[in-house]
Amino acid sequence: MYVSKCTNKIKAYYGIFRYTQRRLVSSEHTPQLPQCDFKPLQFKSQLKSTSLDSIKRNVNACFAQMYSDPMVISQGHMQYVWDTSGKRYLDMFGGIVTVSVGHCHPTLVEALSKQASKLWHVSRAHVYEEIYDYSAKLAQRLPSSLSTIFLCNSGSEANDLALVLARLYTQSFDFIALRNAYHGCSSAAMGLTAIGTWKYNFPNGFGIHHTLNPDPYRGKYGGKACRDSMFQVNRECDCKVNECVACDSYIADLEDVLNTSCSQKKIAGFIAESIQGIGGVVQYPKNYLKRAAELIRKRGGVFISDEVQTGFGRTGTHFWGFQNHDVTPDIVTMAKGIGNGFPLAAVATTAEIASAMNEALYFNTYAGNPLASAVGSKVLDIIDEEHLQENSRILGSRFSIGLNGLMNQFDNVIGDVRGKGLMIGVELVSDKVKKTPLSKAAVGAILDDCKEMGLIIGKGGAFGNVLRIKPPMCINDADIKFAIEVLEKCFENHNRREKI
Ligand SMILES: Cc1ncc(COP(=O)(O)O)c(C=O)c1O
Ligand SMILES: *[C@@H]1O[C@H](CO)[C@@H](O)[C@H](O)[C@H]1NC(C)=O
């Protein structure tokens, strides 16, 4: 087990709780990154020019850069990255929820190097041990029914395959996804995705229908007890215990889509993230997924859980996000955290559903090759050995409490704090009652400010107004304390800019 040089714990855990009570930092105080003894390499650029514009010339530009003045990142170690000037940052976004166990985790680097000097690649037409070892290990983490693993290269590819599996197995075409979902960018996955900024203007998504997003904060329905989160939406309702009108209403909408848009004979399936990621950390009313899966199965379809962001212990209480919803999927797709940044993804399903693929040949060159399998296998070991699921549970709660304290303090701009474990969202608004999304420029200024102070966080949501906090699961209390202090400064600066 690797003991990080960056795990100096702060003594008083209750320090975080105090954020809820009072302002922690004076306006003169500059938040200090927790101590880290790791020494990054001296940066030596291999590029002919260090001007950003010239180095970017040959790279496609269809993905937005996060900062107005981006740093060039040159090294990573656990929860930190360094830019080319040697400045250190706490990475609370983990390369979009991908760096699960830590940047360049030494044990993982060792396993990768060992495999790299032994065997990189042989075709699946040959037998090699690594893929069998790893697939068995991964299957052990899943419900026993999901015993067949397909390894892939990316989340989009995994979702494409899941869609094909569902259609072949059911011999049906109609498929349901949620509005505000993100399932990938390949032409098939794009049909599942339902956030306009990710959709191109060409035919996609035949047979895919999008139902109302069960978002208790911004959606049509929602109330004071909908969420499986430490904090509920700021919305009233008359629901009694064990009653959720919002859930009933969203399920009725799903039923309406099934009645009106789909073949009445049979459908292929339904896909959902356990907590929406790119959509802005949206959590559905409790029981929504369970009831949706029941409804879908009644119509002959299968339920696919997209665990690309919520898997591998991130939600803290469970290893998989779907376990928080008390539902067992027929197909599970995973990527991102599965390989800590190594291109690896997977689909897990029942032997029966998997056999639907046997009528023809299916393979992809790289997936599950010895290198990828060795990495995936070691990631699972590290999550166990370093108790990262437990860390997500405990630190996620402390983080959420700190953020909720900030919401009380900056009531004008923080509309909602939500999430589970180390999958946290902070929705920013310019009008708390109308829930007007905070402008792109204002969100951008907050992110820029964070970056200047050494904190990287993400953003998401259909309006780009949700701060997304999904760090490598190895963070510690000192990191949280620092992040909260920086965010406090950022909101103070925001209010100063807005003259509030
Ligand atoms: C929930 C979810 N599903 C699927 C994908 C697609 O994964 P990839 O980018 O590896 O194709 C993503 C990527 O962000 C995602 O967040
Ligand atoms: C869908 O159709 C079924 C069967 O006809 C019906 O019982 C149900 O009320 C319908 N649901 C909605 C939301 O219209």
Side-chain angles (χ1 to χ4, degrees):
M1 176 177 157
Y2 172 69
V3 180
S4 173
K5 292 192 183 81
C6 312
T7 51
N8 37 66
K9 305 264 190 241
I10 52 167
K11 279 198 200 90
Y13 290 157
Y14 56 84
I16 304 294
F17 291 79
R18 270 192 275 135
Y19 295 121
T20 52
Q21 269 32 280
R22 60 174 182 86
R23 291 193 47 199
L24 190 90
V25 285
S26 74
S27 26
E28 297 82 48
H29 174 84
T30 309
Q32 295 297 316
L33 266 168
Q35 196 197 320
C36 176
D37 296 336
F38 181 82
K39 295 274 169 292
L41 301 167
Q42 184 98 41
F43 175 73
K44 271 207 211 84
S45 176
Q46 288 151 28
L47 296 163
K48 288 195 186 72
S49 162
T50 47
S51 136
L52 261 188
D53 285 337
S54 74
I55 67 176
K56 284 158 85 177
R57 191 174 51 222
N58 301 109
V59 176
N60 73 73
C62 52
F63 194 70
Q65 218 89 57
M66 216 147 105
Y67 301 116
S68 56
D69 179 22
M71 68 289 212
V72 178
I73 296 175
S74 62
Q75 197 170 352
H77 177 74
M78 301 307 280
Q79 66 270 46
Y80 301 114
V81 293
W82 285 259
D83 71 13
T84 48
S85 76
K87 178 174 170 179
R88 179 161 57 108
Y89 301 83
L90 171 61
D91 183 5
M92 285 286 190
F93 201 29
I96 319 188
V97 213
T98 299
V99 180
S100 46
V101 301
H103 288 278
C104 304
H105 189 296
T107 315
L108 192 54
V109 171
E110 195 189 314
L112 174 62
S113 314
K114 212 168 137 196
Q115 186 63 48
S117 51
K118 190 168 153 246
L119 184 67
W120 285 38
H121 184 85
V122 278
S123 163
R124 278 294 307 286
H126 299 297
V127 176
Y128 57 93
E129 284 184 357
E130 290 81 356
I131 192 171
Y132 298 100
D133 275 356
Y134 176 50
S135 298
K137 206 161 167 178
L138 187 57
Q140 265 172 20
R141 301 308 183 99
L142 286 150
S144 58
S145 55
L146 305 176
S147 57
T148 304
I149 308 285
F150 293 82
L151 294 176
C152 311
N153 302 298
S154 72
S156 301
E157 189 191 358
N159 284 332
D160 278 12
L161 177 58
L163 185 62
V164 169
L165 277 165
R167 284 177 166 163
L168 287 178
Y169 174 68
T170 59
Q171 297 282 300
S172 302
F173 190 57
D174 284 315
F175 204 86
I176 318 277
L178 298 177
R179 294 186 200 161
N180 199 51
Y182 184 87
H183 296 293
C185 267
S186 66
S187 54
M190 192 195 304
L192 299 170
T193 291
I195 302 175
T197 43
W198 297 95
K199 304 278 279 191
Y200 285 94
N201 191 7
F202 68 76
N204 66 81
F206 291 119
I208 296 167
H209 316 279
H210 290 103
T211 188
L212 216 52
N213 193 33
D215 174 356
Y217 175 71
R218 192 167 280 288
K220 218 166 154 182
Y221 315 104
K224 61 179 191 285
C226 288
R227 274 195 316 226
D228 174 26
S229 178
M230 288 188 83
F231 301 103
Q232 294 296 335
V233 294
N234 180 19
R235 232 170 146 170
E236 287 308 314
C237 64
D238 301 323
C239 294
K240 296 177 193 67
V241 182
N242 294 330
E243 188 183 63
C244 182
V245 172
C247 188
D248 296 345
S249 309
Y250 288 121
I251 288 291
D253 187 78
L254 173 59
E255 200 176 40
D256 193 46
V257 171
L258 289 168
N259 285 0
T260 55
S261 307
C262 301
S263 154
Q264 293 305 287
K265 205 170 156 207
K266 203 177 172 191
I267 66 157
F270 169 75
I271 187 168
E273 299 154 88
S274 292
I275 297 175
Q276 283 176 345
I278 288 183
V281 198
V282 173
Q283 293 178 281
Y284 323 127
K286 287 171 220 158
N287 286 321
Y288 176 84
L289 280 188
K290 188 184 169 83
R291 290 176 63 189
E294 280 164 12
L295 198 53
I296 295 301
R297 284 172 178 149
K298 249 197 242 159
R299 307 280 174 129
V302 299
F303 169 52
I304 302 171
S305 183
D306 179 333
E307 294 287 332
V308 168
Q309 295 204 15
T310 47
F312 301 92
R314 180 161 295 276
T315 64
T317 49
H318 297 90
F319 197 77
W320 303 108
F322 61 78
Q323 293 169 306
N324 292 301
H325 298 277
D326 187 27
V327 58
T328 302
D330 302 293
I331 302 175
V332 176
T333 61
M334 37 196 126
K336 291 189 184 279
I338 192 175
N340 199 49
F342 195 91
L344 174 64
V347 176
T349 189
T350 65
E352 192 187 343
I353 294 175
S355 70
M357 291 290 288
N358 294 348
E359 68 184 48
L361 298 175
Y362 169 85
F363 109 123
N364 50 56
T365 298
Y366 298 121
N369 77 10
L371 267 187
S373 296
V375 169
S377 179
K378 190 50 80 177
V379 167
L380 290 176
D381 291 345
I382 294 171
I383 292 171
D384 279 354
E385 286 165 8
E386 302 185 4
H387 311 288
L388 296 183
Q389 180 184 320
E390 181 69 352
N391 208 46
S392 296
R393 185 178 69 78
I394 295 171
L395 294 188
S397 302
R398 290 184 189 142
F399 213 152
S400 292
I401 289 168
L403 291 165
N404 193 59
L406 285 182
M407 180 161 71
N408 295 335
Q409 195 179 330
F410 300 97
D411 198 33
N412 61 302
V413 60
I414 303 181
D416 194 30
V417 171
R418 55 181 179 253
K420 195 154 186 204
L422 287 176
M423 173 122 179
I424 306 174
V426 178
E427 181 145 1
L428 305 183
V429 292
S430 56
D431 183 315
K432 189 135 177 167
V433 177
K434 291 189 194 139
K435 297 177 187 168
T436 317
L438 192 65
S439 72
K440 228 181 195 156
V443 176
I446 290 171
L447 289 177
D448 277 341
D449 223 8
C450 279
K451 184 208 91 179
E452 284 310 305
M453 286 186 264
L455 174 68
I456 298 174
I457 50 172
K459 68 163 183 171
F463 308 102
N465 68 324
V466 181
L467 303 182
R468 288 165 67 204
I469 298 171
K470 307 164 177 190
M473 296 185 283
C474 59
I475 59 158
N476 61 51
D477 280 302
D479 296 319
I480 294 179
K481 180 171 180 287
F482 170 73
I484 297 278
E485 286 182 8
V486 168
L487 285 167
E488 182 177 39
K489 279 266 175 196
C490 290
F491 288 121
E492 274 174 10
N493 294 344
H494 167 79
N495 280 356
R496 208 169 298 129
R497 284 190 297 270
E498 304 283 316
K499 299 200 173 49
I500 288 163

